[in-house]
Each structure stands twice: as C-alpha cells, then as structure tokens.
Amino acid sequence: MTENPISDHRERRGAFGAAAEQYDAARPGYPDELVTDVLEFAGPQGVDALEVGAGTGKATLAFAARGITLTCLEPDARMAAVLARHCAGMPHVTVETTDFESRRPSGRRFGLLLSGQAWHWVDPEVRWRRAQELLLPGGAIALFWNDWLVADEDLRHELRAVHHRHLHGLPPHSIVDAQPRESVMVPNSWVWEELQTQEGFTDLEHRLYLSRHTRTTAGIIDLLSSLSSYLILTEETRRAVLSDVSRTIDAHGGALELDTRTGLFLARTAA
C-alpha cells in the first residue's frame, strides 16, 4: 500500500525534534559567500541579530563565527538543546526555546533578522508584521534555503521509481526532481511575492549560490531521514523507501553527486 508523504503543515513542522541529532549531522550548512553578503547588506546594524527557527545551528555557527551577537529562537526543545551545546562558550549567542510568533515582546529591536530553512514554517498571518516590529528602522531581513537535486539523470530516474513504488506521490521537496516543484529559489516564488506586498520593506534582492558535493549512500539516507516529509511517514514505509534507496545508490558505486542551490532573499525596513 502506498502512503502519501504530504501531510499537515503543523505535523511536519513538529517532526524534526525526534531526529535532532540526525538532522544536525546530515544537513549541510550555507556558503561562506552568503554569510558575507548578508552582513554586508545589513551594514553596521547587523552586528545585533535575531535568528528565527535556528534548529541545531547550521546557520547560527556560521554567523557567530563572524563575531555578531545572536539571539536564536528555536521552538523545539530537543533541537534547541543541540543548538545550545554547539554554542556553549559563546557569550554572544543566546538560545531561546520559543517560536517567533509567540515570543513575548521585550522592547528590544534588532539590526538583522535571519532565517535559514525555516521561514516557511512561520505563520503567514503574522510573520512579516512581527519582523517589522522587531527590526530597527533600516534593519535587514535575510531569508535563505537550500535545495538538493541528484545530478546524474539516470540515477535520478531510478530513485524516482523507487519512491513511486512506496509512496502516493513524491515528497514536496524531493532530491529526485529534475527541478524543485516547491522551491523558493526563484524571484517570483511566494517569498518574493509576499515581500513585494509589504509596504514596510524596501531594497528587495534575490541571490542564488550554486555548488555540488558528493554524498555516500549513508550520507543520502541521513539527509532524507532529516526531512519532514520522510519523518512523518510510518516507520514501516520509511524503512522500505530508504532501504530501496540505499540498494539503488549502492548499485551505482555507493555514492552520488548532489547539486545544491542556495537561495537568499534580502530586504530592509523603511528607515
């Protein structure tokens, strides 16, 4: 029996904590060039930043290494615990186990709001308004995501067939697409469209960073196991899909190349 990997938004949002350590080990970070570009765009005010949906610290550590002050919001206590462990001994990094929507106002405003692989989980009814409330005049917002795609076309087709054997439809963010179906990487995505409708934001920019890296079979299984659309599958279905994926990659030499596209959206609040 096939299973539908596309489920309730709230269920998917809350799935990561159960695999926090695996998420931390499997998920790639972000290009150094992106960090440089964000901080240059933000300017001097960017030294005091708020991070939304910090997870286990994939973006946090890259920005903290530049010496800026970071207040990191992560609603899942299990993810936040891994993040806090990584940031131990970093007095310029504070971890708050709370979500962006319900964080109690403190009157403090930031020069930079950043969010990696997480802004789509924030309630669309409040996210832009809350961002403006928490940013200083002229403060910057930086939102970024990674997409991963199997580079080899033949192997990609084989892995698509594997998924179709076990699932009713592909996951919404699948490495076996020729092009991501629900990507935010293009300027006319929902991120860009929503930003354009917000009167309080100016200087909108979109940037794209391309890279390619090799992953072993185990590395691919770990990556897929960290994605919400796989985490919410039943254990039986998830095991069957991943076992079949593993056998397929092993038959191709035990590794594959992933094309990685990192999309960045930038804007400023009105000064």
Short mmCIF file of all heavy atoms in Angstrom, two decimals, residues 10-71:
data_model
loop_
_atom_site.label_atom_id
_atom_site.label_comp_id
_atom_site.label_asym_id
_atom_site.label_seq_id
_atom_site.Cartn_x
_atom_site.Cartn_y
_atom_site.Cartn_z
N ARG A 10 1.43 21.56 10.33
CA ARG A 10 1.84 21.58 11.73
C ARG A 10 2.55 20.28 12.11
O ARG A 10 3.53 20.29 12.86
CB ARG A 10 0.62 21.80 12.63
CG ARG A 10 0.97 21.96 14.10
CD ARG A 10 -0.29 22.29 14.89
NE ARG A 10 -0.85 23.57 14.47
CZ ARG A 10 -0.45 24.74 14.95
NH1 ARG A 10 0.53 24.79 15.82
NH2 ARG A 10 -1.01 25.86 14.53
N GLU A 11 2.06 19.16 11.59
CA GLU A 11 2.68 17.88 11.87
C GLU A 11 4.11 17.85 11.34
O GLU A 11 5.04 17.40 12.01
CB GLU A 11 1.87 16.74 11.26
CG GLU A 11 2.45 15.35 11.53
CD GLU A 11 1.70 14.26 10.80
OE1 GLU A 11 0.72 14.58 10.10
OE2 GLU A 11 2.09 13.09 10.93
N ARG A 12 4.30 18.36 10.13
CA ARG A 12 5.64 18.37 9.54
C ARG A 12 6.56 19.32 10.29
O ARG A 12 7.73 19.02 10.52
CB ARG A 12 5.55 18.77 8.07
CG ARG A 12 4.88 17.73 7.18
CD ARG A 12 4.75 18.23 5.77
NE ARG A 12 6.03 18.56 5.21
CZ ARG A 12 6.22 19.40 4.19
NH1 ARG A 12 5.17 20.00 3.66
NH2 ARG A 12 7.41 19.64 3.73
N ARG A 13 6.04 20.48 10.69
CA ARG A 13 6.85 21.44 11.42
C ARG A 13 7.39 20.86 12.72
O ARG A 13 8.52 21.13 13.12
CB ARG A 13 6.03 22.70 11.71
CG ARG A 13 6.72 23.71 12.62
CD ARG A 13 5.87 24.95 12.81
NE ARG A 13 6.42 25.83 13.84
CZ ARG A 13 5.99 27.06 14.09
NH1 ARG A 13 5.00 27.55 13.39
NH2 ARG A 13 6.53 27.77 15.04
N GLY A 14 6.59 20.04 13.40
CA GLY A 14 6.99 19.49 14.68
C GLY A 14 7.73 18.18 14.61
O GLY A 14 8.03 17.58 15.64
N ALA A 15 8.08 17.72 13.41
CA ALA A 15 8.68 16.39 13.26
C ALA A 15 10.18 16.36 13.50
O ALA A 15 10.75 15.31 13.78
CB ALA A 15 8.38 15.86 11.86
N PHE A 16 10.84 17.50 13.39
CA PHE A 16 12.30 17.50 13.38
C PHE A 16 12.93 17.11 14.72
O PHE A 16 13.99 16.48 14.75
CB PHE A 16 12.82 18.88 12.97
CG PHE A 16 12.42 19.29 11.60
CD1 PHE A 16 11.46 20.27 11.40
CD2 PHE A 16 12.97 18.69 10.48
CE1 PHE A 16 11.08 20.66 10.13
CE2 PHE A 16 12.59 19.06 9.20
CZ PHE A 16 11.63 20.06 9.03
N GLY A 17 12.29 17.49 15.82
CA GLY A 17 12.91 17.25 17.12
C GLY A 17 13.18 15.79 17.41
O GLY A 17 14.16 15.46 18.09
N ALA A 18 12.35 14.90 16.88
CA ALA A 18 12.53 13.47 17.12
C ALA A 18 13.83 12.96 16.52
O ALA A 18 14.33 11.90 16.90
CB ALA A 18 11.34 12.69 16.57
N ALA A 19 14.38 13.69 15.57
CA ALA A 19 15.63 13.28 14.92
C ALA A 19 16.65 14.42 14.95
O ALA A 19 17.37 14.66 13.98
CB ALA A 19 15.35 12.86 13.48
N ALA A 20 16.71 15.12 16.09
CA ALA A 20 17.55 16.32 16.18
C ALA A 20 19.02 16.03 15.90
O ALA A 20 19.69 16.77 15.17
CB ALA A 20 17.38 16.95 17.56
N GLU A 21 19.55 14.96 16.48
CA GLU A 21 20.97 14.65 16.28
C GLU A 21 21.24 14.27 14.83
O GLU A 21 22.27 14.65 14.26
CB GLU A 21 21.39 13.52 17.22
CG GLU A 21 21.32 13.86 18.71
CD GLU A 21 22.40 14.85 19.15
OE1 GLU A 21 23.30 15.16 18.34
OE2 GLU A 21 22.34 15.31 20.31
N GLN A 22 20.33 13.51 14.24
CA GLN A 22 20.49 13.11 12.84
C GLN A 22 20.39 14.33 11.93
O GLN A 22 21.16 14.47 10.97
CB GLN A 22 19.45 12.07 12.46
CG GLN A 22 19.66 11.48 11.07
CD GLN A 22 18.76 10.29 10.84
OE1 GLN A 22 17.63 10.25 11.32
NE2 GLN A 22 19.25 9.31 10.11
N TYR A 23 19.45 15.21 12.23
CA TYR A 23 19.32 16.46 11.48
C TYR A 23 20.63 17.23 11.52
O TYR A 23 21.13 17.71 10.51
CB TYR A 23 18.19 17.29 12.10
CG TYR A 23 17.92 18.62 11.42
CD1 TYR A 23 16.80 18.77 10.60
CD2 TYR A 23 18.75 19.71 11.61
CE1 TYR A 23 16.53 19.99 9.98
CE2 TYR A 23 18.49 20.93 10.99
CZ TYR A 23 17.38 21.06 10.19
OH TYR A 23 17.14 22.27 9.58
N ASP A 24 21.21 17.34 12.71
CA ASP A 24 22.44 18.09 12.88
C ASP A 24 23.59 17.49 12.08
O ASP A 24 24.38 18.21 11.47
CB ASP A 24 22.80 18.15 14.37
CG ASP A 24 23.99 19.04 14.64
OD1 ASP A 24 23.94 20.23 14.26
OD2 ASP A 24 24.97 18.57 15.22
N ALA A 25 23.66 16.17 12.07
CA ALA A 25 24.75 15.50 11.36
C ALA A 25 24.57 15.52 9.85
O ALA A 25 25.55 15.59 9.09
CB ALA A 25 24.88 14.06 11.85
N ALA A 26 23.30 15.47 9.39
CA ALA A 26 23.04 15.25 7.97
C ALA A 26 22.89 16.53 7.16
O ALA A 26 23.29 16.58 6.00
CB ALA A 26 21.77 14.41 7.81
N ARG A 27 22.31 17.56 7.75
CA ARG A 27 22.01 18.75 6.96
C ARG A 27 23.28 19.55 6.66
O ARG A 27 24.07 19.83 7.55
CB ARG A 27 21.02 19.65 7.71
CG ARG A 27 19.61 19.10 7.81
CD ARG A 27 18.93 19.05 6.44
NE ARG A 27 17.55 18.62 6.57
CZ ARG A 27 16.51 19.43 6.51
NH1 ARG A 27 16.67 20.74 6.34
NH2 ARG A 27 15.29 18.96 6.63
N PRO A 28 23.47 19.94 5.40
CA PRO A 28 24.60 20.82 5.06
C PRO A 28 24.37 22.23 5.55
O PRO A 28 23.23 22.61 5.85
CB PRO A 28 24.64 20.76 3.53
CG PRO A 28 23.23 20.47 3.14
CD PRO A 28 22.65 19.61 4.22
N GLY A 29 25.43 23.00 5.64
CA GLY A 29 25.31 24.39 6.05
C GLY A 29 25.08 25.30 4.85
O GLY A 29 24.47 24.89 3.85
N TYR A 30 25.60 26.51 4.94
CA TYR A 30 25.36 27.52 3.91
C TYR A 30 26.68 28.11 3.45
O TYR A 30 27.67 28.13 4.19
CB TYR A 30 24.44 28.62 4.48
CG TYR A 30 23.14 28.06 4.97
CD1 TYR A 30 22.94 27.77 6.32
CD2 TYR A 30 22.11 27.78 4.08
CE1 TYR A 30 21.76 27.22 6.77
CE2 TYR A 30 20.91 27.23 4.51
CZ TYR A 30 20.74 26.95 5.87
OH TYR A 30 19.57 26.39 6.30
N PRO A 31 26.74 28.61 2.23
CA PRO A 31 28.00 29.11 1.69
C PRO A 31 28.55 30.30 2.49
O PRO A 31 27.80 31.17 2.94
CB PRO A 31 27.63 29.55 0.26
CG PRO A 31 26.35 28.84 -0.06
CD PRO A 31 25.63 28.69 1.25
N ASP A 32 29.87 30.33 2.66
CA ASP A 32 30.50 31.47 3.33
C ASP A 32 30.18 32.77 2.62
O ASP A 32 30.04 33.82 3.26
CB ASP A 32 32.03 31.27 3.37
CG ASP A 32 32.44 30.19 4.35
OD1 ASP A 32 31.64 29.85 5.26
OD2 ASP A 32 33.56 29.67 4.22
N GLU A 33 30.07 32.69 1.29
CA GLU A 33 29.76 33.89 0.50
C GLU A 33 28.41 34.47 0.90
O GLU A 33 28.23 35.70 0.93
CB GLU A 33 29.76 33.55 -0.99
CG GLU A 33 29.56 34.75 -1.90
CD GLU A 33 29.50 34.36 -3.37
OE1 GLU A 33 29.66 33.15 -3.69
OE2 GLU A 33 29.27 35.26 -4.20
N LEU A 34 27.46 33.59 1.21
CA LEU A 34 26.13 34.06 1.64
C LEU A 34 26.25 34.83 2.95
O LEU A 34 25.65 35.90 3.10
CB LEU A 34 25.19 32.87 1.79
CG LEU A 34 23.76 33.17 2.26
CD1 LEU A 34 22.77 32.18 1.63
CD2 LEU A 34 23.63 33.09 3.78
N VAL A 35 26.99 34.30 3.90
CA VAL A 35 27.15 34.98 5.19
C VAL A 35 27.76 36.36 4.98
O VAL A 35 27.30 37.36 5.54
CB VAL A 35 28.02 34.14 6.14
CG1 VAL A 35 28.22 34.86 7.47
CG2 VAL A 35 27.39 32.76 6.38
N THR A 36 28.80 36.43 4.15
CA THR A 36 29.43 37.71 3.85
C THR A 36 28.45 38.67 3.23
O THR A 36 28.36 39.85 3.61
CB THR A 36 30.63 37.50 2.90
OG1 THR A 36 31.60 36.68 3.56
CG2 THR A 36 31.27 38.82 2.52
N ASP A 37 27.66 38.18 2.25
CA ASP A 37 26.71 39.05 1.56
C ASP A 37 25.64 39.58 2.51
O ASP A 37 25.24 40.75 2.44
CB ASP A 37 26.05 38.29 0.40
CG ASP A 37 26.99 38.06 -0.77
OD1 ASP A 37 28.10 38.65 -0.77
OD2 ASP A 37 26.62 37.29 -1.67
N VAL A 38 25.15 38.73 3.41
CA VAL A 38 24.11 39.15 4.36
C VAL A 38 24.65 40.25 5.26
O VAL A 38 24.00 41.28 5.48
CB VAL A 38 23.61 37.96 5.19
CG1 VAL A 38 22.76 38.44 6.36
CG2 VAL A 38 22.82 36.99 4.32
N LEU A 39 25.84 40.06 5.80
CA LEU A 39 26.39 41.04 6.74
C LEU A 39 26.75 42.34 6.04
O LEU A 39 26.58 43.43 6.62
CB LEU A 39 27.60 40.45 7.46
CG LEU A 39 27.29 39.26 8.37
CD1 LEU A 39 28.56 38.71 9.01
CD2 LEU A 39 26.27 39.64 9.44
N GLU A 40 27.20 42.26 4.80
CA GLU A 40 27.47 43.49 4.05
C GLU A 40 26.18 44.23 3.76
O GLU A 40 26.13 45.47 3.84
CB GLU A 40 28.21 43.16 2.75
CG GLU A 40 29.67 42.77 2.97
CD GLU A 40 30.39 42.50 1.66
OE1 GLU A 40 29.72 42.47 0.60
OE2 GLU A 40 31.62 42.29 1.69
N PHE A 41 25.13 43.51 3.43
CA PHE A 41 23.83 44.13 3.16
C PHE A 41 23.28 44.78 4.43
O PHE A 41 22.74 45.89 4.39
CB PHE A 41 22.86 43.09 2.63
CG PHE A 41 21.50 43.62 2.25
CD1 PHE A 41 21.26 44.13 0.99
CD2 PHE A 41 20.46 43.63 3.18
CE1 PHE A 41 20.02 44.61 0.63
CE2 PHE A 41 19.20 44.12 2.84
CZ PHE A 41 18.98 44.62 1.56
N ALA A 42 23.41 44.10 5.55
CA ALA A 42 22.86 44.61 6.80
C ALA A 42 23.62 45.82 7.31
O ALA A 42 23.03 46.70 7.97
CB ALA A 42 22.87 43.50 7.86
N GLY A 43 24.92 45.88 7.03
CA GLY A 43 25.71 47.02 7.48
C GLY A 43 25.99 46.97 8.98
O GLY A 43 25.81 45.93 9.63
N PRO A 44 26.39 48.09 9.57
CA PRO A 44 26.77 48.11 10.99
C PRO A 44 25.70 47.62 11.94
O PRO A 44 26.00 47.03 12.99
CB PRO A 44 27.10 49.59 11.23
CG PRO A 44 27.47 50.13 9.88
CD PRO A 44 26.60 49.39 8.91
N GLN A 45 24.43 47.86 11.61
CA GLN A 45 23.34 47.40 12.48
C GLN A 45 23.26 45.88 12.57
O GLN A 45 22.71 45.34 13.54
CB GLN A 45 22.00 47.94 11.99
CG GLN A 45 21.81 49.43 12.19
CD GLN A 45 20.37 49.86 11.93
OE1 GLN A 45 19.84 50.67 12.63
NE2 GLN A 45 19.75 49.31 10.89
N GLY A 46 23.82 45.20 11.58
CA GLY A 46 23.72 43.75 11.52
C GLY A 46 24.51 43.02 12.59
O GLY A 46 24.42 41.80 12.69
N VAL A 47 25.26 43.74 13.42
CA VAL A 47 26.03 43.08 14.48
C VAL A 47 25.14 42.58 15.59
O VAL A 47 25.58 41.80 16.45
CB VAL A 47 27.11 44.03 15.06
CG1 VAL A 47 28.10 44.44 13.98
CG2 VAL A 47 26.48 45.25 15.72
N ASP A 48 23.87 42.99 15.61
CA ASP A 48 22.91 42.51 16.61
C ASP A 48 21.76 41.86 15.85
O ASP A 48 20.94 42.55 15.24
CB ASP A 48 22.41 43.66 17.48
CG ASP A 48 21.59 43.17 18.67
OD1 ASP A 48 21.66 41.97 18.98
OD2 ASP A 48 20.90 44.00 19.28
N ALA A 49 21.72 40.53 15.89
CA ALA A 49 20.80 39.80 15.00
C ALA A 49 19.87 38.88 15.77
O ALA A 49 20.22 38.34 16.83
CB ALA A 49 21.60 38.99 13.98
N LEU A 50 18.69 38.68 15.19
CA LEU A 50 17.71 37.72 15.67
C LEU A 50 17.59 36.62 14.64
O LEU A 50 17.37 36.88 13.45
CB LEU A 50 16.35 38.41 15.85
CG LEU A 50 15.19 37.51 16.29
CD1 LEU A 50 15.37 37.07 17.73
CD2 LEU A 50 13.85 38.25 16.12
N GLU A 51 17.74 35.36 15.08
CA GLU A 51 17.59 34.23 14.16
C GLU A 51 16.30 33.49 14.47
O GLU A 51 16.03 33.11 15.61
CB GLU A 51 18.78 33.26 14.27
CG GLU A 51 18.67 32.12 13.27
CD GLU A 51 19.81 31.12 13.32
OE1 GLU A 51 20.68 31.23 14.22
OE2 GLU A 51 19.82 30.22 12.46
N VAL A 52 15.51 33.26 13.43
CA VAL A 52 14.20 32.61 13.57
C VAL A 52 14.31 31.17 13.09
O VAL A 52 14.74 30.92 11.96
CB VAL A 52 13.13 33.37 12.76
CG1 VAL A 52 11.79 32.64 12.84
CG2 VAL A 52 13.00 34.80 13.27
N GLY A 53 13.91 30.23 13.95
CA GLY A 53 13.98 28.82 13.58
C GLY A 53 15.41 28.36 13.44
O GLY A 53 15.80 27.80 12.41
N ALA A 54 16.19 28.53 14.49
CA ALA A 54 17.63 28.28 14.41
C ALA A 54 17.98 26.80 14.29
O ALA A 54 19.10 26.46 13.90
CB ALA A 54 18.33 28.88 15.64
N GLY A 55 17.06 25.91 14.64
CA GLY A 55 17.34 24.48 14.53
C GLY A 55 18.50 24.08 15.42
O GLY A 55 18.58 24.46 16.59
N THR A 56 19.42 23.32 14.85
CA THR A 56 20.59 22.88 15.62
C THR A 56 21.81 23.76 15.37
O THR A 56 22.89 23.47 15.87
CB THR A 56 20.95 21.42 15.27
OG1 THR A 56 21.29 21.34 13.88
CG2 THR A 56 19.79 20.49 15.56
N GLY A 57 21.62 24.83 14.59
CA GLY A 57 22.70 25.81 14.45
C GLY A 57 23.45 25.81 13.13
O GLY A 57 24.56 26.33 13.05
N LYS A 58 22.84 25.30 12.08
CA LYS A 58 23.53 25.25 10.78
C LYS A 58 23.89 26.65 10.28
O LYS A 58 24.97 26.86 9.72
CB LYS A 58 22.66 24.53 9.75
CG LYS A 58 22.55 23.04 9.98
CD LYS A 58 23.90 22.36 9.92
CE LYS A 58 23.83 20.87 10.18
NZ LYS A 58 25.15 20.23 10.11
N ALA A 59 23.00 27.61 10.47
CA ALA A 59 23.32 28.99 10.12
C ALA A 59 23.95 29.73 11.30
O ALA A 59 24.85 30.55 11.13
CB ALA A 59 22.07 29.73 9.65
N THR A 60 23.50 29.41 12.50
CA THR A 60 23.96 30.12 13.69
C THR A 60 25.48 30.14 13.79
O THR A 60 26.09 31.21 14.00
CB THR A 60 23.41 29.43 14.96
OG1 THR A 60 22.01 29.23 14.83
CG2 THR A 60 23.71 30.26 16.20
N LEU A 61 26.10 28.99 13.66
CA LEU A 61 27.54 28.89 13.87
C LEU A 61 28.31 29.69 12.81
O LEU A 61 29.34 30.29 13.11
CB LEU A 61 27.98 27.43 13.86
CG LEU A 61 27.39 26.58 15.00
CD1 LEU A 61 27.83 25.12 14.86
CD2 LEU A 61 27.80 27.13 16.35
N ALA A 62 27.80 29.70 11.58
CA ALA A 62 28.47 30.45 10.52
C ALA A 62 28.44 31.95 10.80
O ALA A 62 29.44 32.66 10.58
CB ALA A 62 27.83 30.14 9.18
N PHE A 63 27.31 32.45 11.30
CA PHE A 63 27.20 33.88 11.61
C PHE A 63 27.91 34.21 12.92
O PHE A 63 28.55 35.26 13.05
CB PHE A 63 25.74 34.30 11.65
CG PHE A 63 25.13 34.52 10.30
CD1 PHE A 63 24.53 33.46 9.61
CD2 PHE A 63 25.18 35.76 9.69
CE1 PHE A 63 23.98 33.64 8.35
CE2 PHE A 63 24.63 35.96 8.42
CZ PHE A 63 24.03 34.90 7.75
N ALA A 64 27.83 33.32 13.89
CA ALA A 64 28.50 33.56 15.17
C ALA A 64 30.01 33.64 14.99
O ALA A 64 30.70 34.39 15.70
CB ALA A 64 28.15 32.45 16.15
N ALA A 65 30.53 32.90 14.01
CA ALA A 65 31.97 32.93 13.75
C ALA A 65 32.44 34.30 13.28
O ALA A 65 33.64 34.62 13.36
CB ALA A 65 32.34 31.87 12.72
N ARG A 66 31.51 35.13 12.81
CA ARG A 66 31.86 36.48 12.37
C ARG A 66 31.79 37.49 13.53
O ARG A 66 32.01 38.68 13.33
CB ARG A 66 30.92 36.93 11.25
CG ARG A 66 30.88 35.99 10.04
CD ARG A 66 32.21 35.91 9.32
NE ARG A 66 32.12 35.06 8.13
CZ ARG A 66 31.90 35.51 6.89
NH1 ARG A 66 31.78 36.82 6.68
NH2 ARG A 66 31.82 34.68 5.88
N GLY A 67 31.45 37.01 14.72
CA GLY A 67 31.50 37.86 15.90
C GLY A 67 30.26 38.65 16.21
O GLY A 67 30.25 39.45 17.15
N ILE A 68 29.17 38.45 15.45
CA ILE A 68 27.96 39.23 15.72
C ILE A 68 27.20 38.64 16.91
O ILE A 68 27.38 37.47 17.26
CB ILE A 68 27.04 39.30 14.48
CG1 ILE A 68 26.39 37.93 14.19
CG2 ILE A 68 27.81 39.80 13.26
CD1 ILE A 68 25.32 38.00 13.12
N THR A 69 26.38 39.45 17.54
CA THR A 69 25.54 39.00 18.64
C THR A 69 24.27 38.37 18.07
O THR A 69 23.61 38.96 17.21
CB THR A 69 25.16 40.18 19.56
OG1 THR A 69 26.36 40.74 20.11
CG2 THR A 69 24.25 39.73 20.68
N LEU A 70 23.95 37.18 18.54
CA LEU A 70 22.80 36.44 18.01
C LEU A 70 21.84 36.04 19.12
O LEU A 70 22.25 35.47 20.14
CB LEU A 70 23.27 35.16 17.31
CG LEU A 70 23.84 35.29 15.89
CD1 LEU A 70 24.63 34.05 15.53
CD2 LEU A 70 22.72 35.50 14.89
N THR A 71 20.58 36.35 18.92
CA THR A 71 19.50 35.81 19.75
C THR A 71 18.76 34.80 18.90
O THR A 71 18.17 35.15 17.87
CB THR A 71 18.54 36.92 20.21
OG1 THR A 71 19.28 37.87 21.00
CG2 THR A 71 17.41 36.35 21.04
#
